[in-house]
Amino acid sequence: MSLNRRDFSVAVAGLATLGAAHAQGAPVEGKDYQKLSPPVPVASSGKVEVVEFFWYGCPHCNALEPYLNQWLAKLPPDVSFHRIHVGFTPVHAYHLKLFYALEAMGVEEQYHSKVFAAMHVAHQRLGQDSEILAWASSVGLDGAKLVSFMNSFSVAGKLPQAKQLTAAYHVEGVPTFGVQGRYITSPAMVGSETGVFNVLNALIATVRKQG
C-alpha cells in the first residue's frame, strides 16, 4: 500500500488487503505513525494542516483515492488539506509538473482523478509532451496551454520546494501523510488503506489538544 522510492515496480509485501479494517485502539508511535524531529514549519492559518505526498504513477496512491475522497468530504472546518507531488526521479518530476500545471490553471480539482484514471485504468503513459497533448484533448482540456504551464518558470520552481518538503517529512514512499509538521503516517505503516484515516483523525485530535 506504499510505493518505495527505491523500487517503484515492486509492491510492498505483507500488508493487509485493500479495505482491511484497522485494529481498534489508539495509534501506536513507531508502528502506526512517526513523530518528526525537528517538526516541519507549517502555515499559521489557525488550522490543523494535513498533507498527502503522492505520485500519479503510484498504484497505491490510485487505490487510496476513493477512500481519501470520502474522508475529505467529511473534513472538519478546522483542518486544511493539500497534496504534494513527489519528485524523486525524472519520471516523478515530469508528473509533478503535470500536477502543478493543473493547479496553476485552476483545474486540478476537476482533472486530478482523470489523470489517475488515464494512467491506471486506460494505461496511458503520460510521460512526454505528446502524450500529455493527446490526453488533454481526450478530456476536453487545452493541451497546448497545459504543456506551456508545465514548462513555465513558476511550475519548475515547485520541484525544489516539493523535494525540500519530502526530505523534511522523511518521506521514503508514497502515499504518505503529514500532520501539522509533527507526524507522518501511511497505509504501509498502518496496514490498510482505510485504517490510515483512523490514525489521521487521532493525530488531528492530538494536535488540537496540543494547541
Side-chain angles (χ1 to χ4, degrees):
M1 297 176 190
S2 172
L3 202 62
N4 191 278
R5 65 189 296 177
R6 298 185 180 88
D7 190 350
F8 296 103
S9 63
V10 179
V12 174
L15 298 178
T17 57
L18 179 65
H22 181 57
Q24 295 297 315
V28 177
E29 183 178 350
K31 176 182 177 294
D32 299 310
Y33 69 94
Q34 296 284 353
K35 188 175 182 178
L36 292 172
S37 182
V40 181
V42 298
S44 61
S45 62
K47 295 186 176 185
V48 180
E49 181 179 280
V50 178
V51 296
E52 181 206 16
F53 293 88
F54 81 102
W55 170 41
Y56 273 134
C58 168
H60 308 296
C61 298
N62 177 61
L64 187 68
E65 275 295 294
Y67 303 106
L68 175 57
N69 289 333
Q70 290 174 17
W71 183 75
L72 290 174
K74 302 175 182 178
L75 201 66
D78 68 333
V79 179
S80 67
F81 172 84
H82 66 271
R83 296 177 171 90
I84 299 172
H85 196 293
V86 296
F88 294 138
T89 71
V91 172
H92 300 87
Y94 186 82
H95 293 145
L96 176 150
K97 292 196 300 180
L98 172 58
F99 171 71
Y100 288 109
L102 291 171
E103 185 178 74
M105 291 172 64
V107 297
E108 180 267 328
E109 185 174 344
Q110 182 180 355
Y111 288 95
H112 182 71
S113 63
K114 295 182 187 297
V115 178
F116 274 118
M119 298 187 73
H120 299 281
V121 178
H123 304 294
Q124 296 175 253
R125 291 176 56 84
L126 302 188
Q128 55 188 11
D129 290 359
S130 60
E131 293 167 344
I132 295 295
L133 288 167
W135 168 76
S137 177
S138 72
V139 295
L141 190 60
D142 186 335
K145 183 178 181 181
L146 177 60
V147 170
S148 177
F149 268 94
M150 288 177 66
N151 295 321
S152 68
F153 179 78
S154 60
V155 168
K158 295 291 186 178
L159 179 57
Q161 294 175 23
K163 285 187 172 182
Q164 183 180 25
L165 282 170
T166 300
Y169 273 93
H170 304 291
V171 176
E172 290 292 329
V174 290
T176 291
F177 293 93
V179 180
Q180 196 63 10
R182 304 177 192 177
Y183 308 102
I184 59 168
T185 185
S186 69
M189 295 175 68
V190 176
S192 81
E193 274 91 351
T194 53
V196 73
F197 298 105
N198 295 331
V199 176
L200 283 174
N201 290 337
L203 292 175
I204 289 168
T206 296
V207 169
R208 287 194 187 107
K209 292 177 182 177
Q210 292 172 342

